[in-house]
C-alpha cells in the first residue's frame, strides 16, 4: 500500500478506505491481535482515513464507526485488572464519539443515541430513549447543535448530488453549486473534502480539476501535502495545459528542487494540447520560474545559470515558430527573450540576434520592427535604431503600417536626431508616403469602379428579367385607355389592320400615371434608366438634406396637382443631394408651384424653377468635364499637402 501509484488514489473514496481498513484488521496479525505495534499502525491508518474522508456527509460515518469498533476491540483485549489502562482506553473511545458528534453527517441523531447508550454502559446515567442533549457536557452539546445546524443547511445540496435519475451535467452543476456554498462558509477542510467527492464522481472533468487546483493555489498555496492532488489532476486530464501551469506554480511556491520542476515541465511537453496558446503558456511559465529563481532565490543553490533560460527559449521557438509566424504570441516570446539576454545574460549581441531571428520569420510584422527599435532606443543606441528605420521604412506592412513606420521615423529624428538627420529622413519618407497614398487612391478607385460595375450588371440583369416577365404577361389597358378605344370604335375607326390595333393598345409612358408608386409597380424599366421628358416639371434646389417626398408633397399641397416627386440621391452615399424634380398634372399647377420660389422650407430658402430638359442635355458634357477636372486638381493638391505635412512634422 505504500507504493506511489496507490498512495495517490487512497483519498478518493470512503468505500476504498473502509474496505482497506477491514482488510488490515483481518489479515495483518499484529493489528488483529492488538499488539502495541499493530495498534499504532491501525490508529495511524484510521486517522489518515478520517482526514481524507471523515467530513463526507453521506458516508463518512462508516469510518468513524469502524474506528470506534476497533478501539472497543482493543479495550476488550486488555487485562480486566489493569484499571488505569482500561480507563484511558474508555476516554479514547469517548473522545472519538465527541469528535464524531461535532461533524455534520447523515446519521447524526442516531450517533447521539448510540453515544448515550455507550455512556450508560460505562456508568453514566442518561436518558437513552431521548434525542435531547440533556446530561451531556456543555461543550459536546454545543458542538452537536452546531453540527445539526450545518447539516440542515446542506440537506438540499446533499439531496441533489445523490440523485441517480439526474443527468451527469446536472449533477456536476449541483456539485459546483454545493462547492460555492462551502467556499462561502470558509472551511478549507470541508471544501477540499467536497472537491474529492466530486472528483470521485467526475474524475476526467477538466473544469472541475481546474477549479480545484485554482482553489488550492489560492487558499492552501505551499502546503506540501497537495502535491499528490496536482499529480492526479495532470494524470486524469493531461490534455489541459492550465493544469500543468498550476502544477509548476505550486512546486515553485513550495520551493521544490529544480529536478522536480524540470520533471513536471518535461512531462507536460509530452502531452497533446488543443490550442497552441497552451504550449506558449507552459513555456513562458517555465521561463518565469527560472528567472525568479535566478534573481530572487539564490539561497536555494540549485546551480542554475542563464544558459538554462536561453535553452528553454530556443526550444520554444523551434517548437512553436512554424505555427506562430506573424503572431503576437511569437513576438511576446522574442521580446521577453531579448530583454532577458540583455538584463540577465548581459549580452546585447545575443539580444540583437533574438530580434534578427524574429525578423527572419516575421519580417512583415510591423510590431516586430517596433519592438527591436524600442529596445535599441531604450538602451541609448540611437545609431542602431536609426539603421533599423532605414531598413524597414520602405517595407510594406498590413493596414496603415507602412505609413505609420514612416511617421515614426520622422518623430524619432525629431526627438533624437540632428537637423541633418531630420532632413535626411524627410527626404526619404516624403516620396514613400506619396507613393503609398497614390497606391491607396488607386485601390479605392478600383474598388469604386468594381462596385459600380457590379451594381450596373445587377441592374441590367434585373431589367432583362423584368422585361422577360413583362413580355410573357398579357397586355393590360388602363380604364382611361379602354374608354378611349371604345370611343374610337364608336366613330367607325378602321379595324381591319391588326398591326394598328396592336400599336394602339400599347400603354406608353405618356399614358401612364406619374405617381411614384405606380412607376414602381407598372414600369418594368428601373427608375435610373427611365427617360423623363420633364414637360410639366419643377426643378427644386437648395433642399434640406433631411427632406423626403412626403415633406415636399406637403409643401406643395396648397398648389395641388402633384403627380410624382423625384429626390436626387448621391450614387455612393445614397443620401440626398438637395435637388428634386416635382411633376405636375398641368401648366397651371406648375406655374403656381414656381410662384413659391424663395420661400422657406425646413430652414432653407428653396429655389424653384421650370425644368428645362434641352438646356440640361446641352450642359451634360461640360458638367462631366468639370467634374473630371476637379478630381485631377484634388489629386494633385492632396499629394502636395502630404509632402508639406511631412516636411512640417
Amino acid at each position: 500500500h505504500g507504493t506511489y501509484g496507490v498512495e495517490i488514489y487512497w483519498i478518493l473514496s470512503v468505500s476504498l478506505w473502509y474496505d482497506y481498513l477491514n482488510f488490515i484488521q483481518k489479515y495483518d496479525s499484529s493489528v488483529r491481535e492488538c499488539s502495541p505495534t499493530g495498534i499504532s499502525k491501525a490508529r495511524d491508518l484510521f486517522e489518515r482515513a478520517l482526514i481524507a474522508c471523515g467530513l463526507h456527509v453521506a458516508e463518512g460515518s462508516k469510518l468513524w464507526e469502524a474506528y470506534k469498533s476497533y478501539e472497543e476491540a482493543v479495550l476488550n483485549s486488555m487485562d480486566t485488572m489493569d484499571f488505569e489502562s482500561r480507563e484511558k482506553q474508555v476516554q479514547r473511545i469517548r473522545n472519538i464519539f465527541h469528535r464524531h458528534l461535532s461533524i455534520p453527517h447523515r446519521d447524526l441523531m442516531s450517533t447521539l443515541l448510540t453515544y448515550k447508550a455507550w455512556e450508560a454502559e460505562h456508568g453514566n446515567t442518561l436518558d437513552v430513549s431521548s434525542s435531547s442533549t440533556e446530561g451531556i457536557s456543555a461543550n459536546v452539546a454545543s458542538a452537536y447543535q452546531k453540527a445539526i445546524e450545518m447539516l440542515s443547511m446542506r440537506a438540499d445540496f446533499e439531496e441533489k448530488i445523490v440523485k441517480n435519475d439526474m443527468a451527469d451535467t446536472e449533477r456536476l452543476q449541483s456539485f459546483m453549486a454545493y462547492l460555492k456554498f462551502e467556499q462561502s462558509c470558509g472551511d478549507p477542510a470541508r471544501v477540499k473534502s467536497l472537491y474529492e467527492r466530486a472528483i470521485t464522481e467526475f474524475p476526467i472533468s477538466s473544469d472541475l480539476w481546474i477549479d480545484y487546483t485554482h482553489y488550492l493555489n489560492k487558499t492552501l498555496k505551499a502546503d506540501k501535502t497537495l502535491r499528490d492532488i496536482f499529480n492526479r489532476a495532470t494524470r486524469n486530464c493531461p490534455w489541459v495545459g492550465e493544469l500543468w501551469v498550476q502544477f509548476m506554480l505550486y512546486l515553485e511556491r513550495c520551493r521544490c528542487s529544480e529536478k522536480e520542476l524540470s520533471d513536471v515541465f518535461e512531462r507536460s511537453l509530452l502531452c497533446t494540447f488543443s490550442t497552441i496558446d497552451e504550449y506558449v503558456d507552459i513555456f513562458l511559465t517555465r521561463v518565469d520560474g527560472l528567472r525568479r529563481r535566478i534573481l530572487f532565490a539564490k539561497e536555494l543553490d540549485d546551480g542554475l545559470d542563464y544558459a538554462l533560460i536561453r535553452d528553454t527559449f530556443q526550444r520554444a521557438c523551434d517548437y512553436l515558430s512554424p505555427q506562430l509566424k506573424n503572431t503576437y504570441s511569437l513576438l511576446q516570446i522574442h521580446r521577453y527573450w531579448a530583454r532577458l539576454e540583455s538584463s540577465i545574460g548581459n549580452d546585447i549581441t545575443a539580444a540583437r540576434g533574438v530580434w534578427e531571428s524574429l525578423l527572419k520569420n516575421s519580417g512583415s510584422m510591423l510590431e516586430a520592427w517596433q519592438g527591436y527599435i524600442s529596445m535599441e532606443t531604450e538602451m541609448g543606441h540611437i545609431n542602431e535604431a536609426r539603421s533599423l528605420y532605414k531598413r524597414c521604412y520602405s517595407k510594406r506592412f498590413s493596414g496603415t503600417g507602412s505609413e505609420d513606420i514612416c511617421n515614426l521615423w520622422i518623430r524619432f529624428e525629431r526627438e533624437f536626431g540632428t537637423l541633418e538627420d531630420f532632413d535626411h529622413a524627410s527626404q526619404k519618407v516624403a516620396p514613400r508616403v506619396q507613393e503609398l497614398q497614390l497606391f491607396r487612391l488607386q485601390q479605392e478607385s478600383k474598388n469604386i469602379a468594381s462596385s459600380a460595375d457590379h451594381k450596373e450588371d445587377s441592374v441590367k440583369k434585373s431589367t432583362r428579367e423584368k422585361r422577360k416577365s413583362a413580355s410573357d404577361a398579357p397586355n393590360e389597358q388602363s380604364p382611361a385607355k379602354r374608354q378611349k378605344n371604345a370611343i374610337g370604335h364608336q366613330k367607325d375607326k378602321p379595324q381591319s389592320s391588326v398591326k394598328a390595333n396592336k400599336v394602339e393598345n400599347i400603354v406608353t409612358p405618356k399614358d401612364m400615371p406619374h405617381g411614384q408608386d405606380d412607376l414602381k409597380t407598372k414600369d418594368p424599366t428601373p427608375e435610373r434608366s427611365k427617360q423623363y421628358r420633364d414637360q410639366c416639371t419643377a426643378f427644386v434646389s437648395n433642399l434640406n438634406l433631411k427632406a423626403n417626398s412626403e415633406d415636399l408633397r406637403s409643401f406643395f399641397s396648397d398648389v395641388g396637382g402633384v403627380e410624382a416627386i423625384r429626390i436626387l440621391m448621391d450614387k455612393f452615399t445614397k443620401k440626398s443631394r438637395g435637388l428634386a424634380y416635382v411633376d405636375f398634372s398641368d401648366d397651371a399647377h406648375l406655374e403656381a408651384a414656381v410662384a413659391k420660389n424663395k420661400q422657406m422650407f425646413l430652414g432653407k430658402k428653396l429655389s424653384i424653377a421650370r425644368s428645362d430638359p434641352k438646356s440640361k442635355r446641352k450642359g451634360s458634357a461640360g458638367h462631366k468635364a468639370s467634374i473630371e477636372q476637379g478630381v485631377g486638381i484634388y489629386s494633385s493638391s492632396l499629394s502636395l499637402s502630404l509632402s508639406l505635412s511631412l516636411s512640417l512634422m
Side-chain angles (χ1 to χ4, degrees):
H1 71 274
T3 60
Y4 179 69
V6 176
E7 187 78 16
I8 288 178
Y9 290 93
W10 263 22
I11 69 173
L12 288 176
S13 169
V14 171
S15 298
L16 184 61
W17 271 109
Y18 185 76
D19 291 344
Y20 178 69
L21 290 168
N22 284 335
F23 174 84
I24 291 296
Q25 293 179 73
K26 183 176 181 179
Y27 294 102
D28 190 317
S29 59
S30 63
V31 174
R32 185 178 65 249
E33 295 170 2
C34 297
S35 68
T37 303
I39 292 172
S40 177
K41 180 178 181 180
R43 285 172 179 169
D44 178 66
L45 287 175
F46 274 112
E47 289 295 335
R48 289 169 61 190
L50 293 177
I51 290 173
C53 303
L55 297 178
H56 196 299
V57 176
E59 300 178 1
S61 286
K62 292 169 63 177
L63 299 177
W64 290 100
E65 296 296 340
Y67 195 2
K68 286 180 287 187
S69 295
Y70 178 73
E71 294 295 351
E72 287 282 359
V74 172
L75 177 63
N76 294 332
S77 69
M78 290 181 173
D79 185 355
T80 57
M81 302 303 293
D82 190 353
F83 298 107
E84 184 178 354
S85 297
R86 288 180 66 85
E87 183 59 31
K88 287 182 180 179
Q89 183 63 16
V90 168
Q91 187 59 41
R92 180 184 293 276
I93 298 172
R94 181 178 288 114
N95 289 338
I96 295 174
F97 266 115
H98 291 174
R99 290 167 61 191
H100 190 189
L101 289 170
S102 67
I103 304 297
H105 59 85
R106 189 170 52 188
D107 301 321
L108 192 55
M109 291 185 181
S110 175
T111 301
L112 177 64
L113 295 176
T114 303
Y115 169 61
K116 294 172 74 173
W118 180 86
E119 287 285 8
E121 290 177 5
H122 289 82
N124 295 317
T125 304
L126 294 172
D127 184 2
V128 297
S129 63
S130 172
S131 60
S132 70
T133 57
E134 185 178 354
I136 299 176
S137 66
N139 291 338
V140 176
S142 176
Y144 172 77
Q145 290 298 335
K146 185 177 179 180
I148 287 290
E149 293 174 5
M150 292 174 66
L151 180 62
S152 176
M153 295 168 64
R154 289 159 176 77
D156 289 341
F157 292 111
E158 287 289 334
E159 183 180 353
K160 289 179 181 178
I161 64 174
V162 298
K163 284 185 177 179
N164 294 324
D165 57 345
M166 184 183 294
D168 285 347
T169 54
E170 294 181 18
R171 290 189 67 219
L172 180 57
Q173 290 302 315
S174 297
F175 264 112
M176 298 305 288
Y178 196 176
L179 284 164
K180 187 176 181 180
F181 167 77
E182 285 290 7
Q183 290 175 18
S184 69
C185 294
D187 186 347
R190 297 201 63 81
V191 175
K192 186 168 172 285
S193 175
L194 185 57
Y195 267 119
E196 290 297 337
R197 288 179 63 184
I199 289 298
T200 303
E201 297 289 334
F202 304 97
I204 58 172
S205 171
S206 58
D207 291 339
L208 184 58
W209 278 113
I210 290 172
D211 200 53
Y212 190 10
T213 54
H214 271 294
Y215 175 78
L216 295 175
N217 268 333
K218 181 177 68 175
T219 55
L220 303 178
K221 293 184 179 180
D223 186 343
K224 293 186 178 182
T225 63
L226 304 180
R227 182 176 292 130
D228 288 346
I229 296 174
F230 283 98
N231 265 311
R232 287 161 47 212
T234 51
R235 288 191 178 192
N236 284 339
C237 299
W239 62 87
V240 182
E242 189 173 352
L243 292 176
W244 292 101
V245 168
Q246 292 295 323
F247 196 179
M248 286 191 284
L249 291 174
Y250 162 76
L251 292 175
E252 186 180 352
R253 290 191 187 98
C254 292
R255 297 181 177 272
C256 293
S257 66
E258 167 59 20
K259 184 179 183 305
E260 289 178 277
L261 279 160
S262 176
D263 177 64
V264 172
F265 173 64
E266 295 298 335
R267 282 163 51 197
S268 71
L269 295 182
L270 298 176
C271 302
T272 302
F273 305 115
S274 58
T275 65
I276 196 70
D277 289 337
E278 291 177 279
Y279 290 98
V280 173
D281 200 15
I282 286 172
F283 274 109
L284 292 180
T285 301
R286 172 63 169 158
V287 171
D288 294 342
L290 290 171
R291 177 187 62 80
R292 287 189 287 261
R293 291 164 77 85
I294 289 174
L295 291 178
F296 309 116
K298 293 183 179 179
E299 65 273 12
L300 294 177
D301 194 23
D302 282 329
L304 297 177
D305 58 29
Y306 179 72
L308 190 55
I309 291 181
R310 180 181 293 132
D311 177 67
T312 305
F313 271 123
Q314 189 60 59
R315 290 177 66 186
C317 292
D318 294 342
Y319 198 80
L320 303 173
S321 290
Q323 292 80 24
L324 294 178
K325 185 175 182 180
N326 293 325
T327 63
Y328 176 77
S329 294
L330 191 62
L331 171 63
Q332 181 186 14
I333 292 172
H334 281 80
R335 180 189 288 133
Y336 192 8
W337 185 4
R339 182 165 61 80
L340 295 187
E341 286 286 0
S342 61
S343 62
I344 301 179
N346 297 315
D347 191 343
I348 186 60
T349 302
R352 287 171 179 154
V354 171
W355 283 112
E356 292 293 343
S357 66
L358 176 62
L359 294 180
K360 185 177 180 180
N361 186 278
S362 303
S364 61
M365 189 178 180
L366 173 63
E367 292 80 2
W369 289 95
Q370 287 178 307
Y372 194 177
I373 292 169
S374 178
M375 183 195 76
E376 297 287 10
T377 305
E378 290 172 1
M379 299 182 70
H381 303 154
I382 304 305
N383 290 331
E384 287 76 6
R386 180 177 292 115
S387 67
L388 289 172
Y389 275 118
K390 291 178 180 180
R391 286 171 57 187
C392 70
Y393 85 95
S394 60
K395 289 185 175 294
R396 175 154 297 179
F397 301 108
S398 60
T400 61
S402 300
E403 291 94 329
D404 293 341
I405 199 66
C406 292
N407 293 330
L408 288 172
W409 187 12
I410 295 295
R411 183 185 301 170
F412 170 83
E413 295 298 359
R414 173 182 290 168
E415 296 177 2
F416 299 99
T418 64
L419 181 59
E420 289 75 12
D421 294 327
F422 180 78
D423 290 340
H424 176 74
S426 299
Q427 292 172 4
K428 290 287 188 181
V429 164
R432 173 60 175 161
V433 171
Q434 291 182 12
E435 175 189 353
L436 291 169
Q437 293 292 346
L438 179 60
F439 175 77
R440 195 175 298 283
L441 287 172
Q442 290 173 347
Q443 290 298 113
E444 291 176 356
S445 299
K446 288 181 180 179
N447 292 338
I448 291 171
S450 175
S451 176
D453 292 342
H454 179 72
K455 184 176 180 180
E456 187 174 350
D457 291 342
S458 299
V459 170
K460 288 180 179 179
K461 182 178 179 181
S462 176
T463 302
R464 287 196 300 268
E465 291 176 353
K466 287 182 178 180
R467 285 176 177 170
K468 182 177 178 181
S469 62
S471 64
D472 293 339
N475 291 329
E476 295 184 2
Q477 295 179 341
S478 66
K481 188 70 177 177
R482 287 197 297 270
Q483 185 177 3
K484 182 177 179 181
N485 288 340
I487 294 173
H489 288 306
Q490 290 175 1
K491 292 183 178 180
D492 297 325
K493 185 175 181 179
Q495 302 180 20
S496 58
S497 174
V498 176
K499 182 177 180 180
N501 262 339
K502 288 183 179 179
V503 172
E504 197 170 0
N505 288 337
I506 293 176
V507 180
T508 65
K510 179 179 177 181
D511 297 321
M512 292 181 67
H514 290 280
Q516 207 169 19
D517 295 336
D518 293 333
L519 284 172
K520 289 183 179 179
T521 55
K522 294 184 180 181
D523 187 5
T525 306
E527 185 177 348
R528 178 183 173 189
S529 60
K530 184 171 180 63
Q531 300 296 321
Y532 294 97
R533 296 183 181 180
D534 292 348
Q535 295 299 317
C536 195
T537 302
F539 176 68
V540 182
S541 59
N542 200 36
L543 183 64
N544 189 307
L545 299 182
K546 295 183 179 180
N548 55 33
S549 299
E550 291 303 319
D551 295 328
L552 275 174
R553 192 178 297 276
S554 177
F555 177 75
F556 288 114
S557 61
D558 58 334
V559 173
V562 176
E563 294 203 345
I565 297 174
R566 291 166 281 146
I567 296 178
L568 304 188
M569 299 294 180
D570 185 270
K571 178 179 179 181
F572 303 111
T573 66
K574 307 301 181 184
K575 294 181 179 179
S576 170
R577 293 169 53 190
L579 306 173
Y581 289 98
V582 183
D583 297 330
F584 291 90
S585 57
D586 52 48
D587 283 342
H589 288 96
L590 175 59
E591 292 299 332
V594 173
K596 299 188 70 168
N597 184 36
K598 303 302 181 183
Q599 289 190 17
M600 296 298 294
F601 174 62
L602 297 180
K604 302 193 74 171
K605 186 181 290 186
L606 293 183
S607 177
I608 307 173
R610 176 185 285 272
S611 177
D612 189 353
K614 294 181 180 180
S615 174
K616 181 172 63 176
R617 283 194 292 271
K618 289 177 182 178
S620 61
H623 179 65
K624 180 178 180 182
S626 66
I627 291 175
E628 293 175 352
Q629 184 180 5
V631 171
I633 293 172
Y634 168 74
S635 178
S636 300
S637 64
L638 176 60
S639 299
L640 180 59
S641 65
L642 287 169
S643 178
L644 288 172
S645 65
L646 284 169
S647 64
L648 292 173
M649 286 182 64

